[in-house]
Amino acid sequence: MGPTRHSNAERRQRRDECRRELAQHIRIKIEPSEVRLTARATDVYSWLPVQGKEEIFSKVFSKVFAKSLSDHSVGTFRLLCSEVGESFEAVLARGKGATLDRIMPVSNPELCFSAIIDQLREENVRLCKQIEEVTRKVDAECKQKAIAEEKVHQFCGKQASLETQLREQADMTKLL
């Protein structure tokens, strides 16, 4: 067997880089050599389009994911590396919990990026509602404080007036 051709060496290098890049986006600890585009029965993950990218996934990536990673060209490896997390993502395959024993979870594998984004959006809406509620309460308390301060100011003025009247009456009784 002769020396490896440069194009084959570059293709192998790009494929290995692509496997590493894809492995980083899978939400479980997995060796790059274990990364597959077409899920096997033993795989604990599968690839799905990112929410809102279903059309591009079906047009472009359905052909890519129909083949093995080893059957693709350098251009496809580059495309996969640039689009992972943007157009498609790894999610835990349904019913694969038992196979997780051989793979160490890095984080909650049931959450894909789209689900995380959805959760964050829901949390954002909830927090915005809380902010609105707190703002309404603070505004109401500020109004009540302003009313109370005005009443205190009025009472102070009335007290000063009554004290003046009392002094005047005391002075008049001294004269009599």
Side-chain angles (χ1 to χ4, degrees), residues 78-172:
R78 287 185 185 132
L79 176 68
L80 287 167
C81 288
S82 69
E83 293 298 316
V84 64
E86 298 293 325
S87 297
F88 64 93
E89 62 191 351
V91 296
L92 181 67
R94 299 269 185 232
K96 300 291 184 179
T99 355
L100 282 175
D101 295 342
R102 65 180 184 85
I103 300 173
M104 239 0 198
V106 171
S107 63
N108 186 350
E110 293 180 9
L111 296 178
C112 60
F113 291 119
S114 296
I116 292 169
I117 290 168
D118 289 342
Q119 285 180 350
L120 291 172
R121 284 183 179 148
E122 289 173 13
E123 180 73 5
N124 191 29
V125 168
R126 187 184 64 76
L127 290 172
C128 285
K129 288 179 181 178
Q130 280 183 341
I131 288 171
E132 288 173 5
E133 183 179 332
V134 168
T135 302
R136 277 194 302 272
K137 287 180 180 179
V138 167
D139 287 345
E141 287 177 10
C142 285
K143 287 177 185 176
Q144 288 176 345
K145 181 182 175 190
I147 291 169
E149 286 174 349
E150 179 60 32
K151 286 183 179 180
V152 166
H153 182 70
Q154 289 173 355
F155 287 140
C156 287
K158 192 167 188 170
Q159 181 182 3
S161 173
L162 290 171
E163 286 174 355
T164 304
Q165 286 177 2
L166 186 60
R167 267 190 241 111
E168 287 174 358
Q169 286 178 354
D171 288 344
M172 286 177 115

Side-chain angles (χ1 to χ4, degrees), residues 1-42:
M1 188 159 179
T4 305
R5 289 182 18 198
H6 175 70
S7 61
N8 287 342
E10 180 188 4
R11 187 170 169 275
R12 184 181 318 113
Q13 178 186 3
R14 294 290 183 184
R15 183 185 64 231
D16 292 345
E17 288 172 6
C18 184
R19 284 187 190 280
R20 282 192 296 276
E21 185 74 25
L22 293 172
Q24 289 177 0
H25 284 273
I26 298 173
R27 308 233 352 125
I28 55 175
K29 185 178 179 185
I30 188 167
E31 291 297 319
S33 61
E34 295 286 317
V35 172
R36 305 280 181 263
L37 294 180
T38 307
R40 297 177 297 183
T42 57

